[in-house]
Amino acid sequence: MTPIKKLFPKRTAAKSSKPGGMGEKIPRHVAIIMDGNGRWAKSRNKPRTEGHKIGAKRVSEITEAAMRSGVEFLTLFAFSSENWNRPKSEIDALMNLLVISIKTHGKKLVKDRVRFRAIGNVSALPKKCLNAIEKLEEKTKNFDGRNLVLALNYGARDELVRAVRKISNSAKIGEIDPNKIEWEDVARNLDTADIPDPDLLIRTSGEMRLSNYLLMQSAYAELYFTDVCWPDFTAEEFSKALKEYGRRERRYGLTGEQILER
Ligand code: FPP
């Protein structure tokens, strides 16, 4: 296995979405659907929770790889608003893992000056999770340039409904004219208000759908699907995704010629 430091030599400054120091184009924001923990475990005759445990280790590895590569924002889908329908024992294991990971991995984030944030309907999480999240958010709130965002109890439709409610309430008290509502007004009421849109969205485990993840924000994201399950998604696999991103031409509805002229 290639060591992470060799795959991603330290940079002095992020080179987001522009040709980087090593001649490549780095996405400013990478969003990941970490999928396949259960199948990974099942194929090894292990309990599903074992897949989550190894998956949590990958979270640290990929965060380090992303930050070293110059990615400014990494947003990981850690628990969806639909995941509550799983067996209680699995939910409890995931919540415990989350608290342990935030506590242990949090130290490295502080050391590396990475800002930590959670998006989603976080207030509905168990108190011990909420406490751990709030503590780490507070400790890292003054860092910028490198950001780890966890989507927890997150669903894009739920996020949109919450945004519409906020905007409707502003309209009701006359703060905003309903006929003048623009996309920017919607965007600033989403959980990602001060986070740029993802440039690259990765999903592991061979599934090719977005599963209610950052639907509005990913309107122009490059999609990368891999058969590799999340517990096997190493820094090396991450580097393959970045290389593939570097080969893509992003057009935002323009022609290739127009892009060249810009
Ligand atoms: C999808 O695999 C993964 C999850 C629902 C949870 C993701 C959680 C982790 C990676 C571990 C803990 C997270 C953090 C942030 C420390 P799945 O269970 O849906 O797999 P399957 O589709 O094979 O059943």
Side-chain angles (χ1 to χ4, degrees):
M1 211 176 75
T2 319
I4 197 165
K5 287 185 178 157
K6 199 159 176 215
L7 279 167
F8 303 102
K10 235 178 198 145
R11 284 158 180 267
T12 43
K15 298 277 190 290
S16 306
S17 291
K18 289 184 196 113
M22 290 177 294
E24 83 278 45
K25 194 171 67 178
I26 298 294
R28 183 174 185 207
H29 182 176
V30 177
I32 307 185
I33 302 177
M34 309 181 287
D35 197 10
N37 292 353
R39 276 163 288 157
W40 180 92
K42 203 173 164 208
S43 69
R44 286 160 178 80
N45 284 323
K46 290 183 172 171
R48 292 177 58 82
T49 46
E50 187 61 24
H52 295 317
K53 232 180 183 168
I54 308 296
K57 288 195 180 144
R58 290 295 173 222
V59 168
S60 314
E61 180 178 341
I62 298 307
T63 304
E64 187 179 351
M67 300 305 138
R68 290 183 73 93
S69 69
V71 166
E72 286 178 56
F73 292 84
L74 177 68
T75 303
L76 303 174
F77 205 0
F79 195 83
S80 78
S81 38
E82 288 76 33
N83 285 154
W84 294 113
N85 298 319
R86 294 192 171 200
K88 185 176 176 307
S89 56
E90 186 173 339
I91 297 175
D92 289 347
L94 275 169
M95 294 301 156
N96 285 334
L97 199 52
L98 182 68
V99 175
I100 294 168
S101 301
I102 289 179
K103 284 185 182 161
T104 50
H105 182 49
K107 292 192 185 110
K108 171 107 174 89
L109 295 182
V110 174
K111 184 171 163 268
D112 292 346
R113 304 184 65 79
V114 177
R115 182 172 177 192
F116 171 82
R117 264 178 284 181
I119 57 166
N121 193 356
V122 183
S123 59
L125 291 172
K127 194 90 188 107
K128 62 180 179 196
C129 297
L130 207 51
N131 285 343
I133 291 166
E134 283 172 357
K135 260 192 190 157
L136 190 55
E137 282 184 337
E138 179 62 27
K139 264 190 199 159
T140 62
K141 70 176 183 201
N142 293 323
F143 299 150
D144 60 1
R146 298 159 163 195
N147 299 268
L148 172 64
V149 184
L150 285 192
L152 288 161
N153 191 20
Y154 176 86
R157 288 183 176 177
D158 175 66
E159 178 190 32
L160 190 58
V161 167
R162 287 187 282 111
V164 169
R165 284 189 192 140
K166 281 187 254 172
I167 296 168
S168 305
N169 281 320
S170 299
K172 207 158 106 187
I173 57 171
E175 273 178 8
I176 187 163
D177 175 351
N179 292 310
K180 293 199 173 134
I181 294 172
E182 303 285 350
W183 161 246
E184 286 70 24
D185 300 301
V186 178
R188 85 168 68 92
N189 281 287
L190 294 174
D191 296 348
T192 49
D194 54 353
I195 297 173
D197 286 346
D199 302 291
L200 172 65
L201 190 151
I202 299 172
R203 184 174 190 150
T204 58
S205 89
E207 307 291 356
M208 294 195 195
R209 49 181 180 267
L210 297 181
S211 298
N212 205 14
Y213 188 47
L214 300 174
L215 296 183
M216 288 293 124
Q217 299 86 339
S218 299
Y220 293 100
E222 292 296 326
L223 306 182
Y224 179 87
F225 298 106
T226 170
D227 286 339
V228 173
C229 286
W230 178 252
D232 283 334
F233 193 79
T234 56
E236 205 149 2
E237 292 297 330
F238 183 70
S239 137
K240 284 186 204 167
L242 291 192
K243 285 206 174 87
E244 169 62 25
Y245 174 84
R247 286 192 284 271
R248 305 263 181 102
E249 181 188 55
R250 305 184 75 196
R251 290 209 287 265
Y252 303 96
L254 303 178
T255 66
E257 290 73 27
Q258 285 175 302
I259 296 292
L260 282 176
E261 280 161 19
R262 288 204 310 175

